[in-house]
Amino acid sequence: MKTAIALCNEIRKGLRFAWSERLQILIELPMFAVFIILLGPLLGQGGNIASGRVDWSLNSQTTSAMIVWFVPFIFFYMQVVKMFWRLLGEIQAGTLEQVYLSPLPPWLVAAAGRVAAAFLETLFVAAASYGIVSVFVRIQLHWSAAALLPAFAIMIAAVGLSLIIAGATLVYKRIEIVNDGVLMMVMIFSASALPLIQVPNWWAVASHAFPLTDGVGSLYNVMIAHRSVTSAWGIGGLVPLFTVSTAYLLAGIGTFILGERVAKNRGTLGRY
Amino acid sequence: MSTIAVPIAFQTRLVRTELVKGLRLMWRRRSMVVAATIVYALTYLGISLFIGGGHLVKDLMVRTLPALLAVVVASVAAVEGTAGIAEEINGGTLEQTRLSPASPQLQALGRMTALAIEGLAAAIVLGILFVFAVGLDINPHPAALIPAVLTILDALGYGLIMTALVVRVASIGAITHVGNMAIMAFGGMLAPISVFPHGVEIFARFIPTALGVQSINTTLAGHGLGASWSDGTLPWLLVHTAVVVTAAFSLYVINIRHAQHEGGLSPR
């Protein structure tokens, strides 16, 4: 009971933070839609661009696949980036040590406070991006409850990655550029799950190690390719999907605990 | 020593002190600087493969590589600039910097010079890496140094504007992200801005570093500075850089003074 109350309090605190950051969300909102609209006609057009000929029309199929690719990425962005900045703010202000007054483990305090807020923020930004992009081109998605399964796995993986970044933040503090870069790589490598471009073999193999690839692949299978979500193997298969997500969550918890231990030993948990 | 030379020597020393402080801080987080450089390299490689449909299109990369280098300088200036000030506000040390005889603009000059060195170091490593590893046929032309210097100043001006906003705007993290993404998308790293639809190209010309990258590309293509001047890119780059740098220093001074007056230099 005490644990449930503490958990609810953290979630409520996270939602309050999210509300106080509503202007940030509004500022970031157009970024994703603009990126989809701009990147769509450029994908795979390197040769044409070099010779100065680009067809700037948007293809419905490509854009639909890009929506399936970008929406989970928005959740990653909301979870990872905002958790990093909040944690850094608490370290700099010296209030992080107060999490040890909670009956919850510190990694759970850090993660639980963000995940519900990130979910709601993603719903808002994804809906707005969908609306903006659909003004320019028809988006064809097959809405199905089965998509909730990869969505859940994606959330687990995002929490795991955010805890890895948080653990590194406890030790190295100002890692904002690395944080942004890691997210960019997660986004780029996850594209190999979609038939947008032909990727080299090494890229396809390496992409499985990234936390978003199989989640995007599974969403694509359900929402565009009309395939079953329960197939075990291949890109988006249940086995790689949940193996990778669980591995990221465990690695995240481990990294956070390790980072916390290092910071405690150095006496830098709440101060530089 | 003349009465004018003394204050100049003193001010130079104040700037140098800020610069050295910035470089020492950079050295302390050198592992992060190296990690960030690797991440930039992988990001550019990924985007190039994306645009090339799984292949590296060297003819295109020759024209987008200068934009990557500009993105690196601008991102480092903006992200590290804002994070540095936010850190000082949260830690309560920004107020202490006002005890220094250095004016806010001199402190900003020192800070931005240190960030320029950090950004340029990463950009030079990346430039050499891609030219030699991918085999890009870029002919370094001395004339390209002029738009290159203006582009760096433009990028630093953008970084200082973001830094100046920290003391006034709570949503600075989001604004910096959007700004950096805009420079990446519209500054020529995905595709040269000359291939954008006309309206988008006009919009892109207002984005920091975009004009500079276009001017560098024109010069590196062997057309010389004259071509860049006659097509209007270089004059507009001069105007853009002058406006951005002036606005950045003015905004920084105004915001620091305002925060000092309102008690905003320490945690809110």
Side-chain angles (χ1 to χ4, degrees), chain A residues 34-48:
Chain A
V34 167
F35 215 66
I36 293 171
I37 292 166
L38 189 71
L39 199 58
L42 296 176
L43 280 177
Q45 298 298 312
N48 288 337

Side-chain angles (χ1 to χ4, degrees), chain B residues 101-232:
Chain B
S103 62
Q105 52 270 44
L106 282 185
Q107 288 180 335
L109 184 63
R111 279 171 191 266
M112 296 320 287
T113 310
L115 292 177
I117 291 170
E118 181 179 336
L120 277 172
I124 289 167
V125 169
L126 288 170
I128 292 170
L129 178 78
F130 278 104
V131 166
F132 289 104
V134 182
L136 299 181
D137 186 20
I138 292 181
N139 300 315
H141 200 287
L145 273 176
I146 293 170
V149 168
L150 289 170
T151 308
I152 292 164
L153 290 175
D154 207 18
L156 294 174
Y158 155 77
L160 185 55
I161 287 176
M162 293 294 157
T163 306
L165 289 174
V166 178
V167 290
R168 284 289 279 270
V169 186
S171 310
I172 190 63
I175 296 173
T176 309
H177 272 126
V178 173
N180 290 350
M181 288 293 276
I183 291 179
M184 193 183 277
F186 296 103
M189 189 172 136
L190 301 181
I193 65 167
S194 56
V195 304
F196 286 154
H198 189 57
V200 181
E201 187 186 347
I202 291 173
F203 168 76
R205 285 172 158 251
F206 287 96
I207 299 289
T209 76
L211 282 165
V213 169
Q214 201 176 20
S215 183
I216 291 169
N217 278 337
T218 306
T219 314
L220 289 180
H223 301 305
L225 276 180
S228 189
W229 184 267
S230 57
D231 69 11

Side-chain angles (χ1 to χ4, degrees), chain B residues 26 30 95 114 125 130 143 162 212 234 262:
Chain B
M26 182 187 82
R30 58 193 177 278
E95 269 181 335
V125 169
F130 278 104
M162 293 294 157
L234 195 53
E262 302 289 320

Side-chain angles (χ1 to χ4, degrees), chain B residues 79-93:
Chain B
V79 176
E80 294 300 341
T82 53
I85 294 285
E87 185 181 60
E88 295 221 37
I89 292 174
N90 287 330
T93 54

Side-chain angles (χ1 to χ4, degrees), chain A residues 3 6-7 10-11 83 102-115 159 163 249 253 256-257:
Chain A
T3 305
L7 204 58
E10 287 305 323
I11 292 171
M83 185 161 142
S102 166
L104 299 174
W107 67 265
L108 190 57
V109 173
R114 184 87 276 274
V115 71
V159 170
L163 284 171
L249 182 62
I253 294 169
F256 192 92
I257 292 170

